Amino acid sequence: MDIHEYQAKELLSSFGVNVPRGGIAYSPEQAVYRCSELSGERWVVKAQIHSGARGKAGGVRICSTEEEVSDAASWMLGRKLITHQTGPQGKLVSRLYIEEATNIAQELYLAFVMDRKLERVVVVASAQGGMEIEEISEKEPESIVRSVVDPAVGMQAFQAREIAFSLGLDAALIPQAVKTITGCYRLMEEKDANMVEINPLVVTGSGEIVALDGKLSFDDNALFRHPKISELRDKSQEDPRETYAEDRGLNYIGLEGEIGCIVNGAGLAMATLDMIKQSGGEPANFLDVGGGASPERVLMSFKAVLNDKNVEAVLVNIFAGINRCDWIAEGVIRAVKELELTLPLVVRLSGTNVEEGRKLLSESGLNIATADTLAEAAELVVGAWKAAKAN
Ligand code: GDP
Ligand code: MN
């Protein structure tokens, strides 16, 4: 789960990381009011969406009059901001964060990520911040510092100091840098974050280290341990298809294609996506119905899949071990009837109670194509989809 920048900054601040003062605004009027609260001469108006690269898309504006603040706020609020991270549909701006402007002397990059191979948290830092890490690794690869954290001891001050020195920071800045680095690590560990990224982390004109931006991402599977963080979830920033499925306990990931998929087991689901592609189609989603799926759960899966308006054909692929093919068939039949499904539908059943399942389907009198193997099922559904499209 991702959270907004202002929420990330509040958390970072509670772990001892310096952040600029700021306040949230939902209207241009509130934005101007925030400026008077903050006082000062320059403010930054920042669109709060779950995406980076807002600056290039007009979502970060430095202003020196209240009129500029009001104009920037009017422009951003209600707009779907399109960055190269949001996809072409963009993300809706409904909150702004208004901050006192910071006088930047140097922009650094600092991130904490999970390295799956090492099974460790790795700190990635660079003295060339401001641009994205992909760009840094292209343009200034030798500036990137990597440091692996030993989970048994966590981030120690000496290791943080080492990182700060390799960034070429002035000796006077080292204590602040150490506080920032150890604070981020404690946050990551205590709150089960997957990622902490501060870009840019800046050195100000007056010699302070401040997090000007903040991105935090949390492990969904650990959110139950952090109710306060769960509350920060903003569903308006998430893929509505995934939110719908997740709220119903389904393991679903939205994709770009037209063939909706209902499969049991993550491995078989992945293989199914591959087979659809190999047959010349594009999957619309990944969906694992899980083991022991009841007819109700199958019906719910259909709802989640059909909730995506791009879906033009559906493939059900079940290899029943814990599952029961007759239950699956029952669920399929209910879905076709209750949802008045007219799209091409292919069902492949195999395993426990397969005969009963197939019998139910064939006796239903519904227009359901069946297949014996995964390859056959993929061919069938892509063929049916193409035929329907041609009509
Ligand atoms: P992002 O584009 O979504 O990553 O948003 P950021 O919060 O990182 O802002 C983009 C850029 O705007 C930063 O890299 C800075 O160069 C600039 N910026 C943001 N806040 C300030 C500020 O207070 N003062 C100055 N001078 N520049 C800022
Ligand atoms: Mn940034």
Side-chain angles (χ1 to χ4, degrees), residues 5 9 20 42-44 46-47 51-57 59-62 83 99-104 107 129-132 199-200 202 212-214:
E5 175 198 5
K9 281 177 165 166
R42 284 159 71 239
W43 308 276
V44 191
K46 308 187 80 174
S51 168
R54 295 162 300 169
K56 286 181 194 134
V60 177
R61 210 84 72 76
I62 299 175
T83 75
E99 275 184 342
E100 58 184 356
T102 304
N103 180 4
I104 303 176
E107 291 187 300
M131 49 186 163
E132 278 157 73
N199 188 26
V202 304
L212 269 208
D213 193 6

CSV table of all heavy atoms in Angstrom, one decimal, residues 5 9 20 42-44 46-47 51-57 59-62 83 99-104 107 129-132 199-200 202 212-214, ligand 1:
chain,number,residue,atom,x,y,z
A,5,GLU,N,2.4,11.8,0.1
A,5,GLU,CA,3.7,12.5,0.5
A,5,GLU,C,3.5,13.1,1.9
A,5,GLU,O,4.4,13.0,2.7
A,5,GLU,CB,4.0,13.6,-0.5
A,5,GLU,CG,5.2,14.4,-0.1
A,5,GLU,CD,5.3,15.7,-0.9
A,5,GLU,OE1,4.4,16.0,-1.7
A,5,GLU,OE2,6.3,16.4,-0.7
A,9,LYS,N,5.6,12.2,5.1
A,9,LYS,CA,6.5,13.2,5.8
A,9,LYS,C,6.2,13.2,7.3
A,9,LYS,O,7.0,13.4,8.2
A,9,LYS,CB,6.3,14.6,5.2
A,9,LYS,CG,7.1,14.7,3.9
A,9,LYS,CD,6.9,16.0,3.3
A,9,LYS,CE,8.0,16.2,2.2
A,9,LYS,NZ,7.7,17.4,1.3
A,20,PRO,N,10.1,19.9,5.8
A,20,PRO,CA,9.6,21.3,5.9
A,20,PRO,C,8.2,21.4,6.6
A,20,PRO,O,7.5,20.4,6.6
A,20,PRO,CB,9.4,21.7,4.4
A,20,PRO,CG,10.1,20.6,3.6
A,20,PRO,CD,10.1,19.4,4.5
A,42,ARG,N,8.0,32.4,0.3
A,42,ARG,CA,7.8,31.5,-0.8
A,42,ARG,C,7.2,30.2,-0.3
A,42,ARG,O,7.5,29.7,0.8
A,42,ARG,CB,9.1,31.2,-1.5
A,42,ARG,CG,9.5,32.4,-2.4
A,42,ARG,CD,11.0,32.3,-2.7
A,42,ARG,NE,11.4,31.2,-3.6
A,42,ARG,CZ,12.2,30.3,-3.3
A,42,ARG,NH1,12.8,30.2,-2.1
A,42,ARG,NH2,12.5,29.3,-4.1
A,43,TRP,N,6.3,29.6,-1.1
A,43,TRP,CA,5.6,28.4,-0.7
A,43,TRP,C,5.6,27.4,-1.9
A,43,TRP,O,5.7,27.9,-3.0
A,43,TRP,CB,4.2,28.7,-0.3
A,43,TRP,CG,4.1,29.8,0.8
A,43,TRP,CD1,4.2,29.6,2.1
A,43,TRP,CD2,3.8,31.2,0.5
A,43,TRP,NE1,4.1,30.8,2.7
A,43,TRP,CE2,3.8,31.8,1.8
A,43,TRP,CE3,3.6,31.9,-0.6
A,43,TRP,CZ2,3.7,33.2,1.9
A,43,TRP,CZ3,3.5,33.3,-0.5
A,43,TRP,CH2,3.5,33.9,0.8
A,44,VAL,N,5.5,26.2,-1.5
A,44,VAL,CA,5.4,25.2,-2.6
A,44,VAL,C,4.0,24.5,-2.5
A,44,VAL,O,3.6,24.1,-1.5
A,44,VAL,CB,6.5,24.1,-2.4
A,44,VAL,CG1,6.6,23.2,-3.7
A,44,VAL,CG2,7.9,24.7,-2.2
A,46,LYS,N,1.9,21.5,-3.7
A,46,LYS,CA,2.2,20.1,-4.2
A,46,LYS,C,1.0,19.2,-4.3
A,46,LYS,O,0.3,19.0,-3.3
A,46,LYS,CB,3.2,19.4,-3.2
A,46,LYS,CG,4.5,20.3,-3.0
A,46,LYS,CD,5.5,19.6,-2.2
A,46,LYS,CE,6.3,18.6,-3.1
A,46,LYS,NZ,7.5,18.0,-2.4
A,47,ALA,N,0.7,18.7,-5.5
A,47,ALA,CA,-0.4,17.9,-5.7
A,47,ALA,C,-0.2,16.5,-5.0
A,47,ALA,O,0.9,16.0,-5.1
A,47,ALA,CB,-0.6,17.6,-7.2
A,51,SER,N,2.1,9.1,-6.9
A,51,SER,CA,3.0,9.0,-8.0
A,51,SER,C,4.1,10.0,-7.8
A,51,SER,O,4.0,11.0,-7.1
A,51,SER,CB,2.2,9.4,-9.3
A,51,SER,OG,3.2,9.6,-10.3
A,52,GLY,N,5.3,9.6,-8.3
A,52,GLY,CA,6.4,10.5,-8.4
A,52,GLY,C,6.3,11.3,-9.7
A,52,GLY,O,5.3,11.3,-10.4
A,53,ALA,N,7.4,12.1,-10.0
A,53,ALA,CA,7.5,12.8,-11.2
A,53,ALA,C,6.3,13.8,-11.4
A,53,ALA,O,6.0,14.1,-12.5
A,53,ALA,CB,7.6,11.9,-12.4
A,54,ARG,N,5.8,14.3,-10.3
A,54,ARG,CA,4.7,15.3,-10.3
A,54,ARG,C,5.3,16.6,-10.8
A,54,ARG,O,4.6,17.4,-11.5
A,54,ARG,CB,4.1,15.5,-8.9
A,54,ARG,CG,3.4,14.2,-8.4
A,54,ARG,CD,3.2,14.4,-6.9
A,54,ARG,NE,4.5,14.5,-6.2
A,54,ARG,CZ,4.6,14.8,-5.0
A,54,ARG,NH1,3.6,15.1,-4.2
A,54,ARG,NH2,5.8,15.0,-4.5
A,55,GLY,N,6.5,16.9,-10.4
A,55,GLY,CA,7.1,18.2,-10.8
A,55,GLY,C,7.0,18.4,-12.3
A,55,GLY,O,6.5,19.5,-12.7
A,56,LYS,N,7.4,17.4,-13.1
A,56,LYS,CA,7.5,17.6,-14.5
A,56,LYS,C,6.1,17.7,-15.1
A,56,LYS,O,5.9,18.2,-16.2
A,56,LYS,CB,8.2,16.4,-15.2
A,56,LYS,CG,9.7,16.4,-15.0
A,56,LYS,CD,10.3,15.2,-15.7
A,56,LYS,CE,11.8,15.1,-15.2
A,56,LYS,NZ,12.1,13.7,-14.8
A,57,ALA,N,5.0,17.2,-14.4
A,57,ALA,CA,3.7,17.3,-14.9
A,57,ALA,C,2.9,18.5,-14.4
A,57,ALA,O,1.7,18.6,-14.6
A,57,ALA,CB,3.0,16.0,-14.4
A,59,GLY,N,2.7,19.4,-11.1
A,59,GLY,CA,2.1,19.1,-9.8
A,59,GLY,C,2.9,19.6,-8.7
A,59,GLY,O,2.5,19.3,-7.5
A,60,VAL,N,4.0,20.3,-8.9
A,60,VAL,CA,4.8,20.9,-7.9
A,60,VAL,C,5.1,22.4,-8.3
A,60,VAL,O,5.7,22.5,-9.4
A,60,VAL,CB,6.1,20.2,-7.6
A,60,VAL,CG1,6.9,20.9,-6.5
A,60,VAL,CG2,5.8,18.7,-7.2
A,61,ARG,N,4.6,23.4,-7.6
A,61,ARG,CA,4.7,24.7,-8.0
A,61,ARG,C,5.3,25.6,-6.9
A,61,ARG,O,4.7,25.6,-5.8
A,61,ARG,CB,3.4,25.3,-8.5
A,61,ARG,CG,3.5,26.3,-9.6
A,61,ARG,CD,3.6,25.7,-11.0
A,61,ARG,NE,2.3,25.1,-11.5
A,61,ARG,CZ,1.2,25.7,-11.9
A,61,ARG,NH1,1.2,27.1,-11.9
A,61,ARG,NH2,0.2,25.1,-12.3
A,62,ILE,N,6.4,26.3,-7.2
A,62,ILE,CA,6.9,27.2,-6.2
A,62,ILE,C,6.3,28.6,-6.4
A,62,ILE,O,6.3,29.1,-7.6
A,62,ILE,CB,8.5,27.3,-6.3
A,62,ILE,CG1,9.0,25.9,-6.0
A,62,ILE,CG2,9.0,28.3,-5.3
A,62,ILE,CD1,10.5,25.8,-6.2
A,83,THR,N,1.5,11.6,-15.0
A,83,THR,CA,2.9,11.5,-15.0
A,83,THR,C,3.3,10.2,-15.7
A,83,THR,O,2.4,9.4,-16.0
A,83,THR,CB,3.5,11.5,-13.6
A,83,THR,OG1,3.2,10.1,-13.0
A,83,THR,CG2,2.8,12.5,-12.7
A,99,GLU,N,3.7,23.9,1.5
A,99,GLU,CA,4.8,23.9,2.3
A,99,GLU,C,5.6,25.2,2.2
A,99,GLU,O,5.5,25.9,1.2
A,99,GLU,CB,5.8,22.8,1.8
A,99,GLU,CG,5.6,21.4,2.4
A,99,GLU,CD,6.6,20.4,1.9
A,99,GLU,OE1,7.4,20.7,1.0
A,99,GLU,OE2,6.7,19.4,2.5
A,100,GLU,N,6.3,25.5,3.3
A,100,GLU,CA,7.3,26.6,3.2
A,100,GLU,C,8.3,26.2,2.2
A,100,GLU,O,8.7,25.0,2.2
A,100,GLU,CB,7.9,26.8,4.6
A,100,GLU,CG,8.6,25.6,5.1
A,100,GLU,CD,9.2,25.8,6.5
A,100,GLU,OE1,9.1,26.9,7.1
A,100,GLU,OE2,9.7,24.8,7.1
A,101,ALA,N,8.8,27.1,1.4
A,101,ALA,CA,9.8,26.7,0.4
A,101,ALA,C,11.1,26.6,1.0
A,101,ALA,O,11.4,27.2,2.0
A,101,ALA,CB,9.8,27.8,-0.7
A,102,THR,N,11.9,25.7,0.5
A,102,THR,CA,13.2,25.4,1.1
A,102,THR,C,14.3,25.9,0.1
A,102,THR,O,14.2,25.8,-1.1
A,102,THR,CB,13.4,23.9,1.3
A,102,THR,OG1,12.4,23.4,2.1
A,102,THR,CG2,14.7,23.5,1.9
A,103,ASN,N,15.3,26.5,0.7
A,103,ASN,CA,16.4,27.0,-0.1
A,103,ASN,C,17.4,25.8,-0.3
A,103,ASN,O,18.1,25.4,0.6
A,103,ASN,CB,17.0,28.2,0.6
A,103,ASN,CG,18.2,28.8,-0.1
A,103,ASN,OD1,18.5,28.4,-1.2
A,103,ASN,ND2,18.8,29.8,0.5
A,104,ILE,N,17.5,25.4,-1.6
A,104,ILE,CA,18.3,24.1,-1.8
A,104,ILE,C,19.8,24.4,-2.2
A,104,ILE,O,20.0,25.2,-3.1
A,104,ILE,CB,17.7,23.3,-3.0
A,104,ILE,CG1,16.2,23.0,-2.6
A,104,ILE,CG2,18.5,22.0,-3.2
A,104,ILE,CD1,15.5,22.2,-3.8
A,107,GLU,N,21.0,18.5,-3.8
A,107,GLU,CA,19.9,17.5,-3.8
A,107,GLU,C,20.5,16.1,-3.8
A,107,GLU,O,21.4,15.8,-4.7
A,107,GLU,CB,19.0,17.7,-5.1
A,107,GLU,CG,18.1,18.9,-5.1
A,107,GLU,CD,17.2,18.9,-6.3
A,107,GLU,OE1,17.6,18.9,-7.4
A,107,GLU,OE2,15.9,19.0,-6.0
A,129,GLY,N,20.9,13.8,-6.5
A,129,GLY,CA,19.5,13.6,-6.4
A,129,GLY,C,18.7,14.5,-7.3
A,129,GLY,O,19.2,15.1,-8.2
A,130,GLY,N,17.4,14.5,-7.0
A,130,GLY,CA,16.5,15.3,-7.9
A,130,GLY,C,16.0,14.6,-9.1
A,130,GLY,O,14.8,14.6,-9.3
A,131,MET,N,16.8,13.9,-9.8
A,131,MET,CA,16.3,13.1,-10.9
A,131,MET,C,16.0,11.7,-10.4
A,131,MET,O,16.4,11.3,-9.3
A,131,MET,CB,17.3,13.0,-12.0
A,131,MET,CG,18.7,12.7,-11.6
A,131,MET,SD,19.8,12.8,-13.1
A,131,MET,CE,21.4,12.9,-12.3
A,132,GLU,N,15.3,10.9,-11.2
A,132,GLU,CA,14.9,9.6,-10.7
A,132,GLU,C,16.0,8.6,-10.7
A,132,GLU,O,17.0,8.8,-11.5
A,132,GLU,CB,13.7,9.1,-11.6
A,132,GLU,CG,12.4,9.7,-11.1
A,132,GLU,CD,11.4,9.7,-12.2
A,132,GLU,OE1,10.9,8.6,-12.5
A,132,GLU,OE2,11.0,10.7,-12.7
A,199,ASN,N,13.5,11.6,-2.3
A,199,ASN,CA,14.1,12.2,-3.5
A,199,ASN,C,13.4,13.5,-3.9
A,199,ASN,O,12.3,13.4,-4.5
A,199,ASN,CB,14.1,11.2,-4.6
A,199,ASN,CG,14.9,11.7,-5.8
A,199,ASN,OD1,15.8,12.4,-5.7
A,199,ASN,ND2,14.5,11.2,-7.0
A,200,PRO,N,14.0,14.6,-3.6
A,200,PRO,CA,15.3,14.8,-3.1
A,200,PRO,C,15.4,14.9,-1.6
A,200,PRO,O,14.5,15.4,-1.0
A,200,PRO,CB,15.8,16.1,-3.7
A,200,PRO,CG,14.5,16.9,-3.8
A,200,PRO,CD,13.4,15.9,-4.0
A,202,VAL,N,17.6,17.1,0.7
A,202,VAL,CA,18.4,18.2,0.4
A,202,VAL,C,19.3,18.7,1.5
A,202,VAL,O,19.0,18.5,2.7
A,202,VAL,CB,17.6,19.4,-0.2
A,202,VAL,CG1,16.7,18.9,-1.4
A,202,VAL,CG2,16.7,20.0,0.9
A,212,LEU,N,12.7,16.7,1.2
A,212,LEU,CA,11.8,17.6,0.5
A,212,LEU,C,10.6,16.7,-0.1
A,212,LEU,O,9.6,17.3,-0.5
A,212,LEU,CB,12.5,18.3,-0.7
A,212,LEU,CG,13.1,19.7,-0.4
A,212,LEU,CD1,13.1,20.5,-1.6
A,212,LEU,CD2,12.3,20.4,0.7
A,213,ASP,N,10.9,15.5,-0.3
A,213,ASP,CA,9.9,14.6,-0.9
A,213,ASP,C,9.9,13.3,0.0
A,213,ASP,O,10.9,13.0,0.6
A,213,ASP,CB,10.1,14.3,-2.3
A,213,ASP,CG,9.0,13.7,-3.1
A,213,ASP,OD1,7.9,13.5,-2.4
A,213,ASP,OD2,9.1,13.3,-4.2
A,214,GLY,N,8.9,12.5,-0.1
A,214,GLY,CA,8.9,11.3,0.7
A,214,GLY,C,7.9,10.3,0.1
A,214,GLY,O,6.8,10.6,-0.2
B,1,GDP,P1,8.1,14.7,-7.6
B,1,GDP,O1,8.4,15.4,-8.9
B,1,GDP,O2,6.8,14.1,-7.6
B,1,GDP,O3,9.2,13.8,-7.3
B,1,GDP,O4,8.1,15.9,-6.5
B,1,GDP,P2,9.2,16.5,-5.6
B,1,GDP,O5,8.6,16.7,-4.2
B,1,GDP,O6,10.4,15.7,-5.6
B,1,GDP,O7,9.5,17.9,-6.3
B,1,GDP,C1,10.1,18.0,-7.5
B,1,GDP,C2,11.2,19.0,-7.5
B,1,GDP,O8,10.7,20.3,-7.2
B,1,GDP,C3,12.3,18.7,-6.5
B,1,GDP,O9,13.2,17.7,-7.0
B,1,GDP,C4,12.9,20.0,-6.3
B,1,GDP,O10,13.9,20.3,-7.3
B,1,GDP,C5,11.7,21.0,-6.5
B,1,GDP,N1,11.3,21.5,-5.2
B,1,GDP,C6,10.3,20.9,-4.4
B,1,GDP,N2,10.2,21.6,-3.3
B,1,GDP,C7,11.1,22.6,-3.3
B,1,GDP,C8,11.4,23.7,-2.5
B,1,GDP,O11,10.9,23.9,-1.4
B,1,GDP,N3,12.3,24.6,-2.9
B,1,GDP,C9,12.9,24.5,-4.1
B,1,GDP,N4,13.9,25.3,-4.5
B,1,GDP,N5,12.7,23.4,-5.0
B,1,GDP,C10,11.7,22.5,-4.6
